[in-house]
Amino acid sequence: MGLTDSQAQTPKYPERPLRVLHGFGAGGNADTVARILAAEMGKGLGQAVIVEPKPGAGGTIASGTVASAKPDGYTLLLATGGHAIAGALYDRLPYDTVKSFQAVSAVTSFPFLIVAQAGSKFNHLQDLLKAAKSRSQELTFGSAGVGTGQHMAGAWLAQQAGINLTHVPYRGESASMTGLLSGEVDLVVVAPTTAVQHIKAGKLQALATTGLNRWSGMPEVRTVAEQGVAQFEVRSWTALLAPAGLPKPQLDRLQAEVRRALAEDSVRTRLEEATGGEVKASTPADLQATIQSDLKRWTQLVKDANIQKE
């Protein structure tokens, strides 16, 4: 049976390599997730999926590049929770955080840990909250930088608990851990995988996890919600986005390949070990809802906490 005219005119997708951009340095969390995912997706797509780090301006350079790309399924974005934060924090972006992108699928999500030095006077989050509310001293928390998920989690904790915490931004999580170990700050908010080795070595202790449920890597560590700040939850995430206007056949193909890739045991294991979080695909609609919800929350926080916009 021969092809119809419409079938003959429909190009096969994909016919050439795909690019996945992200806005952070090579070797970091986003880069690791992107490369693990890209390698597996490439097998199913029959084309190479090339990862291109494009760091700078809180990830907005990479986001802007993808937003302005042709919506043909060949240029994609490995976005993080910082994508929604940037929408709340930056006054002028060359794209709309929601409308300029087509959500494809979530990839991973993970909570943060709130960590203090081992042997400090804070053994549990309640100790910290009590000290902050007594106003007996100024308490400081370190993060991976202004506008990061770690920064927003600490600011959200202060806002929801009704306490004052002074933010000390560092250049990345490693620097924030060094600051905590040297006593420059009272605590840090950090991705679990960054802190685990120091906790196991007895140098640091986890006061709480920011997820609504306990983190599987340290189930003995209670959540913020369990320790008096009701319904508190902050999770970061990674997800695959495309330029708005992506045709449905390409969207369906990409979404199916993400689901297939994440169902592979070896891929799930590598991603779980790399991020310390949950590996789970989503529908485009669910991912879009997550981005919109995060954008609304962080926009309100930036306003309420008087966080200086960039």
Side-chain angles (χ1 to χ4, degrees), residues 2-82:
L3 293 174
T4 66
D5 288 342
S6 62
Q7 288 174 322
Q9 293 170 4
T10 302
K12 178 183 176 183
Y13 172 79
E15 291 187 302
R16 61 180 189 273
L18 288 71
R19 297 191 302 154
V20 176
L21 280 64
H22 66 76
F24 304 92
N29 182 70
D31 190 57
T32 300
V33 171
R35 292 184 188 280
I36 293 172
L37 179 65
E40 186 61 36
M41 285 184 66
K43 296 176 184 178
L45 291 169
Q47 293 285 349
V49 181
I50 302 166
V51 176
E52 295 184 14
K54 210 172 185 68
T60 61
I61 295 175
S63 295
T65 301
V66 173
S68 63
K70 185 177 180 180
D72 55 7
Y74 289 98
T75 304
L76 307 170
L77 176 71
L78 194 288
T80 71

Side-chain angles (χ1 to χ4, degrees), residues 178-287:
T178 300
L180 178 62
L181 289 166
S182 65
E184 291 177 356
V185 290
D186 295 300
L187 63 143
V188 297
V189 181
V190 67
T193 49
T194 305
V196 163
Q197 59 178 332
H198 298 293
I199 295 171
K200 290 183 176 179
K203 296 179 180 179
L204 301 176
Q205 58 184 342
L207 306 183
T209 176
T210 65
L212 197 56
N213 301 306
R214 296 191 184 191
W215 178 51
S216 59
M218 287 186 171
E220 72 279 7
V221 178
R222 290 183 293 167
T223 67
V224 172
E226 286 180 298
Q227 298 185 68
V229 186
Q231 299 302 308
F232 184 93
E233 180 181 24
V234 177
R235 296 178 67 90
S236 190
W237 45 263
T238 60
L240 198 65
L241 306 180
L246 181 71
K248 191 172 187 302
Q250 282 88 326
L251 172 61
D252 290 346
R253 180 74 191 279
L254 289 169
Q255 214 269 340
E257 282 303 326
V258 174
R259 285 190 174 276
R260 184 197 63 76
L262 298 186
E264 291 288 333
D265 288 342
S266 60
V267 173
R268 294 182 67 85
T269 299
R270 291 176 65 196
L271 286 172
E272 287 169 353
E273 290 176 349
T275 66
E278 179 183 14
V279 178
K280 187 178 181 180
S282 74
T283 65
D286 284 346
L287 174 56

Side-chain angles (χ1 to χ4, degrees), residues 4 13 15 36 42 44-45 93-94 99-101 104 112 145 163 169 176 206 212 223 263-265 268 296 303 307:
T4 66
Y13 172 79
E15 291 187 302
I36 293 172
L45 291 169
L93 289 174
K99 295 178 182 179
S100 297
F101 300 90
V104 177
F112 295 109
I163 61 175
S176 73
L212 197 56
T223 67
E264 291 288 333
D265 288 342
R268 294 182 67 85
K296 181 179 179 180
K303 179 181 177 181
I307 296 173

